[in-house]
Amino acid sequence: MSLITPVEIAAATTVPVLRLELINKFFSRHQVLRDVTLEVERGEVVCIIGPSGAGKSTLLRCINHLENVDSGTVFFEGAPVYRYQRDGKTVIDPDRRIEKIRSQIGMVFQSFNLFPHLTALGNVIEAPINVRRDPPEEARRQGTAVLTKVGLAAKANSYPHQLSGGQQQRVAIARALAMNPKLMLFDEATSALDPELVGDVLRVMRQLASEGMTMVVVTHEMGFARDVADRVIFMADGAIIEEGDPRQLFTAPVNPRTRQFLQSVLDRNGNTEGAG
């Protein structure tokens, strides 16, 4: 029987959780993503900023296979996934493999997408029971733990219509966390919230980042991106225009398009703090 060597273990842990290679996406004749190439390391927080229509949300949807890429390859933990080329032929993963990969990638949307007929706890345990086949009692125990993590243990038996928007979004985060994901995607998770509710959601996201969760965050909260991100990416017209350390990118961006965007944010908000 062969044993895995320490060198092999070290190599496995250094493989990026996510790698995108020359991703292109069209809607009809409109190109939404243009040769997007990106790596996300384990434990890294990457924030994606940019103007409306830059392709940010579409990029997240391609990572989670909610949209098919037209060309290019998505790699998850070093392996090509979904649809890719091998030996000159196109390989399309079977549904079972796609479901397994997607179960390891949590996604939180702008809208909360909770099941209205289920309680907060019911929403959280739905996937562990029906997708991962966890025993109901174990799922409830884990579900209660993640609701506690997002500060909503007291709301476990409340239905979505009984919760504020910020509480619903925290339930949505708990629902994603219940699957023990290796990667979390956030698509403008605070954009649908009233300003006074944004802080609670951002605090949960900051906590996840501090605990080492690998996160790709599309956001307009510049304060959050500056303070929490390991790396900030600026997208425009479907392409990555600039990326770097947030301190450098926010104070001395290299690309004129980045400078123009950040100046417009400054003009609107008076600072880069956002609600973060």
Side-chain angles (χ1 to χ4, degrees), residues 140-187:
R140 281 191 288 272
R141 187 182 69 80
Q142 294 286 352
T144 300
V146 291
L147 282 175
T148 301
K149 186 182 189 71
V150 301
L152 290 175
K155 299 292 185 180
N157 295 319
S158 298
Y159 289 88
H161 74 273
Q162 298 171 315
L163 303 173
S164 71
Q167 290 170 337
Q168 290 185 60
Q169 190 62 294
R170 282 186 282 155
V171 172
I173 294 172
R175 179 176 60 183
L177 292 175
M179 292 294 286
N180 299 315
K182 296 178 179 178
L183 170 66
M184 282 285 287
L185 309 176
F186 292 86
D187 184 12

Side-chain angles (χ1 to χ4, degrees), residues 5 17 41 46 55 138 174 220:
T5 68
V17 174
E41 302 294 338
V46 175
E138 173 63 16
H220 65 278

